[in-house]
Amino acid sequence: MTNRVTTTSTTPRRLTVCGLATGAAGIAMLWASGVEFPFYPPPGLLILAGGAAFVGLVRRFWAPGVGAFLGLFVIVGFVLSSVVSGAGIGYLTGDAGVGGVIGTVTQLAGVVVALAAGSIAVGRERRAGR
């Protein structure tokens, strides 16, 4: 009897998908903790979840770039909301309670990973000719 161990490598594309999904989970945590969003369900949740599905399913070299762009988009939105209304930083400092802090940190960690991994993935996949 042979034990077969399979290993799955963590590629930048997979990290991009995981980052987008983590960002979406962070937005879901914000929503669950009572942060008000302009629409139901929160648009960012749908955008990041859709982006994760897109990057995971589309096998073009540029697809992870969409994930990187979405990560950058959310980061810029966070910075703008912090400057304009103080909401972004406010969520980090506890204005929305502990759930808001956890959700914001989760969201930001996910989109930073998506931005970095997506950028790396595009370069690697383009050089590999995929």
Side-chain angles (χ1 to χ4, degrees):
M1 187 156 117
T2 310
N3 284 336
R4 293 173 58 190
V5 177
T6 57
T7 58
T8 351
S9 63
T10 303
T11 64
R13 180 184 285 266
R14 286 184 183 156
L15 282 174
T16 305
V17 171
C18 290
L20 291 171
T22 301
I27 293 174
M29 287 182 215
L30 284 167
W31 185 30
S33 66
V35 172
E36 290 188 31
F37 288 89
F39 300 101
Y40 168 80
L45 188 147
L46 297 176
I47 291 168
L48 292 179
F54 179 82
V55 173
L57 296 173
V58 173
R59 290 291 162 211
R60 299 288 196 172
F61 80 88
W62 51 263
V66 173
F69 173 77
L70 291 175
L72 179 63
F73 179 76
V74 172
I75 292 167
V76 168
F78 175 81
V79 170
L80 288 176
S81 73
S82 296
V83 170
V84 173
S85 68
I89 294 294
Y91 297 151
L92 278 176
T93 59
D95 288 354
V98 174
V101 173
I102 294 169
T104 302
V105 169
T106 302
Q107 172 192 6
L108 289 175
V111 297
V112 166
V113 167
L115 173 59
S119 300
I120 291 167
V122 168
R124 283 188 182 177
E125 291 187 18
R126 182 173 182 149
R127 281 191 300 277
R130 291 185 207 160

